[in-house]
């Protein structure tokens, strides 16, 4: 008789299913929910079981070579490669361990033009339904920084990365569909944020040609819709004026000094 956890165990062997802890990858822990098969030299499953977090004990097994196969890994883990094991004709308890690695996903939010990381974006991952539509939420809210956001132990499957709130000066991006694959390699999903671009033209009402020499201002607005602070001011040069990454909101466009007497002062409400 041999001892396992201080208790007598009949002559035989046991399989220990372990994997890296989600808290500390240097610590191993028993895994439950893995579907395993022990196959003989003819590739026939002679034993099959689902792990429960404790070693699986097999008694009176014939000596010889076998293959331990993980048919299905627990959620958040990668299916381990089959391992060949030899059961020897000895009286002591023999043990074998199979290790699972957890999945690793990096989430990256970048500027669509510069490809630089964008901080302050609120994201949420959703399961994807079979038709590609949004399913249940997975995990909590993600707020991006200049570093990749790393998720470990996300189950293999299809997902949608959804932008809940854009960073200042950016438009909300379309959802990104992605797949977490059954691999131990680091996987990355990237969402590109388009900056809000505003083009303002000052044109002759009759000829529709650009006018130079007009002084224009853009004002932010308060809760009552009145002018609050000057956001931008410029003198037209006969070409459209471009503003990059303008925060979304309501504004007032004002002509403070006209280009000539035929172009009176005016004020327009605008929103982005």
């Amino acid at each position: 008789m041999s001892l396992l956890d201080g208790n007598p165990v009949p002559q035989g062997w046991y399989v220990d299913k372990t994997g890296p802890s989600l808290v500390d990858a240097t610590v191993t822990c028993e895994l439950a929910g893995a579907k395993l098969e022990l196959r003989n030299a003819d590739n026939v499953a002679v034993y099959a079981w689902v792990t429960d977090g404790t070693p699986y004990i097999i008694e009176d097994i014939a000596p010889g070579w076998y293959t331990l196969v993980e048919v299905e890994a627990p959620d958040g883990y990668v299916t381990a490669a089959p391992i060949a094991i030899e059961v020897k004709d000895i009286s002591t308890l023999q043990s074998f361990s199979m290790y699972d690695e957890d999945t690793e996903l990096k989430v990256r939010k970048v500027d669509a033009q510069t490809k630089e990381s964008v901080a302050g974006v609120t994201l949420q991952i959703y399961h994807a339904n079979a038709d590609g539509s949004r399913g249940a939420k997975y995990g909590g809210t993600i707020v991006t920084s200049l570093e990749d956001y790393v998720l470990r132990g996300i189950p293999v499957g299809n997902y949608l990365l959804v932008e809940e709130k854009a960073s200042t000066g950016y438009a909300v991006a379309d959802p990104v569909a992605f797949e977490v694959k059954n691999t131990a390699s680091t996987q990355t999903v990237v969402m590109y944020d388009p900056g809000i671009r505003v083009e303002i033209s000052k044109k002759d009402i009759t000829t529709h040609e650009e006018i130079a020499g007009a002084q224009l201002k853009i004002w932010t607005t308060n809760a009552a819709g009145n002018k609050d602070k000057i956001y931008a001011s410029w003198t037209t040069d006969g070409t459209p004026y471009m503003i990059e990454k303008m925060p979304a909101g309501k504004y007032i466009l004002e002509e403070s000094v006209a280009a000539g007497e035929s172009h009176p002062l005016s004020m327009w409400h605008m929103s982005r």
Side-chain angles (χ1 to χ4, degrees):
M1 301 287 282
S2 299
L3 292 179
L4 179 63
D5 295 332
N7 298 313
V9 175
Q11 178 179 333
W13 64 290
Y14 71 92
V15 177
D16 186 16
K17 182 63 177 169
T18 61
S21 166
L22 296 183
V23 178
D24 185 346
T26 64
V27 178
T28 59
C29 60
E30 297 286 351
L31 292 182
K35 294 182 180 180
L36 301 181
E37 289 183 355
L38 186 67
R39 299 178 183 177
N40 61 19
D42 296 322
N43 202 35
V44 176
V46 291
Y47 294 94
W49 68 98
V50 178
T51 61
D52 63 1
T54 61
Y56 182 76
I57 301 173
I58 300 175
E59 300 177 22
D60 301 323
I61 184 172
W65 283 94
Y66 296 85
T67 302
L68 181 61
V69 178
E70 182 168 32
V71 178
E72 184 178 320
D75 281 348
Y77 288 89
V78 178
T79 303
I83 58 174
I85 57 178
E86 181 185 10
V87 177
K88 298 179 180 180
D89 188 10
I90 56 177
S91 61
T92 56
L93 181 67
Q94 302 168 64
S95 64
F96 304 90
S97 295
M98 175 179 275
Y99 293 88
D100 271 2
E101 294 187 64
D102 48 4
T103 58
E104 181 176 281
L105 176 71
K106 289 185 177 181
V107 178
R108 186 176 302 158
K109 196 75 170 77
V110 300
D111 185 292
Q113 290 183 304
T114 67
K115 305 301 186 290
E116 295 179 350
S117 296
V118 178
V121 180
T122 303
L123 304 175
Q124 179 66 55
I125 293 176
Y126 290 84
H127 290 278
N129 295 321
D131 61 358
S133 61
R134 186 187 303 184
K137 285 184 179 181
Y138 174 80
T141 299
I142 298 171
V143 178
T144 63
S145 67
L146 297 181
E147 303 294 332
D148 292 341
Y149 187 90
V150 180
L151 285 165
R152 299 188 66 89
I154 180 171
V156 171
N158 294 302
Y159 297 86
L160 289 172
L161 180 62
V162 177
E163 183 168 17
E164 304 281 349
K165 182 180 178 182
S167 185
T168 301
Y170 288 90
V172 175
D174 293 331
V176 175
F178 67 96
E179 179 185 4
V180 176
K181 298 181 179 179
N182 187 27
T183 175
S185 300
T186 300
Q187 303 171 69
T188 304
V189 56
V190 181
M191 176 179 277
Y192 295 92
D193 248 7
I196 297 176
R197 306 176 76 236
V198 177
E199 182 182 270
I200 298 177
S201 291
K202 177 63 177 173
K203 295 183 177 181
D204 186 288
I205 195 170
T206 303
T207 66
H208 300 291
E209 294 179 351
E210 293 281 348
I211 297 173
Q215 294 185 19
L216 303 181
K217 292 179 182 178
I218 294 178
W219 293 80
T220 60
T221 59
N222 56 27
N226 299 319
K227 292 189 296 185
D228 186 17
K229 298 178 181 179
I230 295 175
Y231 177 78
S233 63
W234 70 99
T235 300
T236 61
D237 61 2
T239 61
Y241 184 76
M242 183 69 69
I243 301 176
E244 300 282 353
K245 298 178 183 176
M246 186 174 182
K250 295 182 179 180
Y251 298 85
I252 293 175
L253 174 62
E254 178 185 64
E255 182 179 30
S256 55
V257 178
E261 293 183 356
S262 60
H263 308 292
L265 301 180
S266 58
M267 184 171 67
W268 297 83
H269 288 260
M270 57 181 288
S271 63
R272 288 305 307 155

